[in-house]
Amino acid sequence: MAPAQKLSGAHVPLLDSIPVRRASVSGAVFNVSTSIIGAGIMSIPATLKVLGVVPAFVLIVLVAILVDISVEFMLRFTYAGETMTYAGLMKESFGRVGSVAVQICVLITNFGCLIIYLIIIGDVLSGNQPDGSVHLGVLQEWFGIHWWNTRAFALFFTLVFILLPLVLFRRVESLRFSSAVSVLLALVFVGICSVMAISALLEGKTNTPKLIPQLDNRASFFNLFTAAPVIVTAFTFHFNVHAIGGELGKASDMTSAVRISLILCSGIYFAIGIFGYLLFGDSIMADILVNFDQGSGSALGSLLNDIVRLSYAFHLMLVFPLLNFSLRSNLDELLFPKKPLLFVGSTSAVFLAFIFPGAIAIKDVHGISSKKDKIIGATMIILAVITSTIAISSNIYSWAGGSS
């Protein structure tokens, strides 16, 4: 990897008129980890049900390795060029079309995630009314139904008093403490699941997990490919690579932060996957939060379920500002490419994580890619296209079958 260059002028990652203190590697680890662990953590146990334990573990490790390689491509070409943004990196290789493609993918991915986060937060705190039936949230279960714990007021309070102060920070490094709390909440979630799963195991209430997938028909085979985009989406944080890495200043520091984060997140993902699968078996839903939302036979079990739901909701609140940071910066760069302002789906996630970095390595506008880099880049693109195509086709097939 090329040594980090001194950033100056338009390439300083925020305001060059204000002395900027370099970010810390530990803060970058927390910010990268929080960018990775979003809503995708809740879908990991369902992938174990589809794939089996061994293939799921292999897939998590494989995707983590490919993500590390794709980020290494991004950092190497960034420091070899004259830009400090993802869109600028694509513009150097593919012109205006490349930069706009990245910006559109970031806008789709992050804006969609932020909407989903608010929906989940509202469901956890104040419930909803699907198909006319009333589903109570944690606040309503604890205190009864009042005006101050309705869905609208709970979201208003969350947006104004929690999210707004966090999204006003100009530097990603300023979010390191909230990101540390977010990672801690994810670990609390894993810890509670592990305790509940081990307790159920000792009581003989768990089912033996499948080590390999069971292929009963053609649909079961195609369902295997729907798990890959879930894992890829769960590891996608490339939209924040330049924001976090730019404040570190050294490519080697960002590389270390990314690898530590990938190891941490891979461990969290596999732990929540295996413990969630042990706890709920084949009855596990696509979103494990639905399983925790169901009634428990004991007061302690209900309390643990509520703690899991609340920890997840607060975790998403702290992920929100990191996704908003890259969303507003890309929107700013898209609308005002000449004069940046001060306040700046699974398919798009696959583009951001693998296809764009692989294409940059193959294009090699700076002449720094080896033959191995280009082969790896081409392999990443081919695998991403194949798995995404099969996953989309399988979803269409399932939807058409359900409609008929």
Side-chain angles (χ1 to χ4, degrees), residues 29-34 37 178-189 264-265 268 315 318:
V29 169
F30 288 130
N31 283 330
V32 170
S33 299
T34 300
I37 306 175
S178 62
S179 294
V181 175
S182 177
V183 174
L184 177 61
L185 290 173
L187 293 174
V188 168
F189 175 52
L264 173 63
C265 294
I268 291 176
H315 166 75
L318 300 178

Side-chain angles (χ1 to χ4, degrees), residues 199-220:
S199 176
L201 183 64
L202 294 176
E203 295 175 2
K205 297 181 180 179
T206 60
N207 297 322
T208 303
K210 295 179 294 186
L211 296 180
I212 57 175
Q214 295 180 353
L215 302 178
D216 300 327
N217 49 48
R218 185 176 63 178
S220 299

Side-chain angles (χ1 to χ4, degrees), residues 59-101:
L59 183 60
I60 289 174
V61 173
L62 178 61
V63 170
I65 292 174
L66 291 177
V67 166
D68 178 58
I69 294 173
S70 66
V71 172
E72 197 272 340
F73 285 162
M74 294 173 63
L75 292 175
R76 193 195 317 168
F77 279 85
T78 294
Y79 286 107
E82 299 180 351
T83 183
M84 282 303 296
T85 66
Y86 198 169
L89 182 62
M90 283 292 290
K91 187 175 182 179
E92 287 184 343
S93 297
F94 300 100
R96 177 66 175 166
V97 174
S99 65
V100 171

Side-chain angles (χ1 to χ4, degrees), residues 138 141-142 189 192-193 195-197 199-200 203 205 279-280 288-311:
V138 174
E141 291 177 357
W142 287 2
F189 175 52
I192 293 176
C193 285
V195 171
M196 295 176 69
S199 176
E203 295 175 2
K205 297 181 180 179
L279 191 58
F280 298 110
I288 193 176
L289 196 65
V290 177
N291 293 94
F292 283 106
D293 201 23
Q294 298 172 355
S296 176
S298 64
L300 179 59
S302 297
L303 177 62
L304 291 176
N305 287 350
D306 290 342
I307 292 176
V308 166
R309 294 160 62 193
L310 285 175
S311 65

Side-chain angles (χ1 to χ4, degrees), residues 226 346 390-400:
T226 63
S346 66
I390 296 177
I392 293 172
S393 302
S394 178
N395 289 333
I396 295 174
Y397 174 80
S398 300
W399 175 80

